Amino acid sequence: MTNGNGAPAEQAPPQLNVLAQYTKDLSFENPNAPSSLAPQQQQPNINIQINVGANNISETEFEVTLSIEGKADSAGKVMFSFELAYAGVFRIVNVPQENLHPLVMIECPRLLFPFAREIIATAVRDGGFPPLMLDPVDFVGLYRQNMERQAASGAKPS
């Protein structure tokens, strides 16, 4: 394609815009309160799971959901557990098709993570515990791990 003078037309720059962010689902449980709030002899065992999902809303808009689940237990008793589904709607234009899936599954959750982290810290604090500050997440590593798992099972990338 040319610009009319015989020179190649410039490609418009890629764009990633956040159109909305929101909590889709939030659950916090403190099933053994008030005994779980007493000083503990040892640090609790904390298990965190993180997943990313995406849906096409239109040709250029995607809803990306960052799902984070966690549980803390000590001496075989659950101290607290939580589930958060935090989502955003992103408009992505002028991105080559081969780069679209990694962009949606890596960069979009990377933009959502600090907000989800704050929601979890606040929920845990409001549940009577010290705020739980999640460590940064390697979304590139998570993406590669999910792609390898899908390749091993013969599934098509979502």
Side-chain angles (χ1 to χ4, degrees):
M1 182 187 270
T2 63
N3 64 7
N5 296 332
E10 287 188 29
Q11 176 75 16
Q15 290 183 341
L16 171 62
N17 303 102
V18 181
L19 302 180
Q21 293 180 206
Y22 45 93
T23 300
K24 289 185 83 158
D25 184 36
L26 174 61
S27 170
F28 180 86
E29 296 179 23
N30 189 351
N32 294 304
S35 64
S36 62
L37 301 174
Q40 302 294 315
Q41 300 287 358
Q42 60 188 24
Q43 286 288 94
N45 179 33
I46 299 176
N47 184 18
I48 306 289
Q49 293 182 326
I50 299 176
N51 290 300
V52 177
N55 297 313
N56 287 61
I57 296 174
S58 71
E59 187 177 323
T60 60
E61 294 179 4
F62 301 85
E63 179 191 49
V64 177
T65 303
L66 180 58
S67 299
I68 305 174
E69 295 180 24
K71 182 188 286 188
D73 57 53
S74 181
K77 286 193 171 189
V78 174
M79 295 179 70
F80 65 83
S81 64
F82 63 85
E83 294 179 18
L84 172 65
Y86 190 74
V89 175
F90 298 86
R91 180 177 295 136
I92 302 172
V93 294
N94 302 324
V95 172
Q97 191 64 35
E98 65 271 11
N99 297 338
L100 190 58
H101 191 258
L103 180 68
V104 167
M105 300 302 283
I106 296 170
E107 289 306 318
C108 294
R110 189 186 327 241
L111 292 170
L112 295 173
F113 181 75
F115 299 96
R117 180 179 192 243
E118 178 62 28
I119 291 167
I120 290 167
T122 300
V124 171
R125 185 198 67 214
D126 290 350
F129 300 94
L132 177 61
M133 300 306 292
L134 298 177
D135 290 333
V137 174
D138 176 11
F139 286 103
V140 172
L142 185 63
Y143 177 76
R144 286 183 181 145
Q145 187 179 38
N146 287 337
M147 295 305 290
E148 288 170 5
R149 189 177 321 121
Q150 288 177 358
S153 69
K156 183 181 173 194
S158 56

